[in-house]
Amino acid sequence: MEGGKYMTHHHDMSGKRIVILAADLYEDQELWYPYYRLQEAGADVTLVGPEATTYTSKHGYPVTAERTPDEVKAADFDGVIVPGGYAPDKLRRYDGILNLVREINDQDKLVGAICHAGWVLISAGIVGGKEATCYHAIVDDMKNAGVQYRDEPVVVDGNLVTSRSPADLPYFLPAIMAVLAGEEVAAV
């Protein structure tokens, strides 16, 4: 995995519209790295939270959700990314968030989840029978939800892209962009 199989690919994301979910105690790197990396590649990124308000990260950094789930439609987006930290435990409590993630998944569009974000996927009921990875603390939760767990930097199963922690971001984002570009993504 030295150097990463996807790291040399540069994808033009112009015209792609992506939702990144936000709530208090999000993991800074897992929200901001995808946010800026996708914008840099030309994507239109919308921050969505349970409320259109400012949330604070685990490390005290603010992010402002521009929209709520009731103000957006899954059909208008090409995918959703769920950052980790402890925000997923808060996000999973909102039906609007779960419905948005479920609808994007049902439309076979990108669902990216890193770290504790697997909790949102579990609550949305979309991971049963899928191959995925996550932060080690929620492996049992994922397995109990029917996930075929793999301890790898990035796992791609169709439209689902998962990673374990901030250290996996150099694998997570290139895999996300490959899926958005409609490319077949091979195992790392």
Side-chain angles (χ1 to χ4, degrees), residues 18-118:
I18 309 300
V19 166
I20 297 181
L21 298 180
D24 280 329
L25 300 176
Y26 69 89
E27 173 55 52
D28 303 58
Q29 297 170 64
E30 295 168 356
L31 184 145
W32 291 110
Y33 183 81
Y35 180 80
Y36 287 119
R37 182 65 192 94
L38 288 165
Q39 282 188 341
E40 177 183 69
D44 178 14
V45 181
T46 302
L47 294 165
V48 173
E51 297 177 32
T53 190
T54 300
Y55 297 100
T56 306
S57 73
K58 285 173 52 177
H59 306 287
Y61 199 79
V63 64
T64 300
E66 306 157 294
R67 303 268 184 266
T68 69
D70 296 335
E71 297 173 326
V72 298
K73 294 179 183 166
D76 293 337
F77 293 92
D78 299 293
V80 60
I81 297 175
V82 188
Y86 301 115
D89 188 37
K90 297 177 182 303
L91 290 166
R92 73 190 303 189
R93 301 173 197 188
Y94 294 91
D95 289 339
I97 294 287
L98 299 178
N99 289 336
L100 179 62
V101 170
R102 192 178 304 112
E103 288 170 17
I104 287 173
N105 181 70
D106 290 349
Q107 294 171 20
D108 205 31
K109 297 176 181 176
L110 168 81
V111 176
I114 185 166
C115 200
H116 287 79

Side-chain angles (χ1 to χ4, degrees), residues 145-181:
V147 167
Q148 297 170 27
Y149 174 75
R150 292 186 12 213
D151 185 12
E152 297 176 15
V154 65
V155 175
V156 178
D157 187 343
N159 64 315
L160 180 64
V161 179
T162 54
S163 282
R164 303 170 298 191
S165 71
D168 296 335
L169 286 165
Y171 303 97
F172 185 59
L173 261 294
I176 279 175
M177 288 191 265
V179 168
L180 286 167

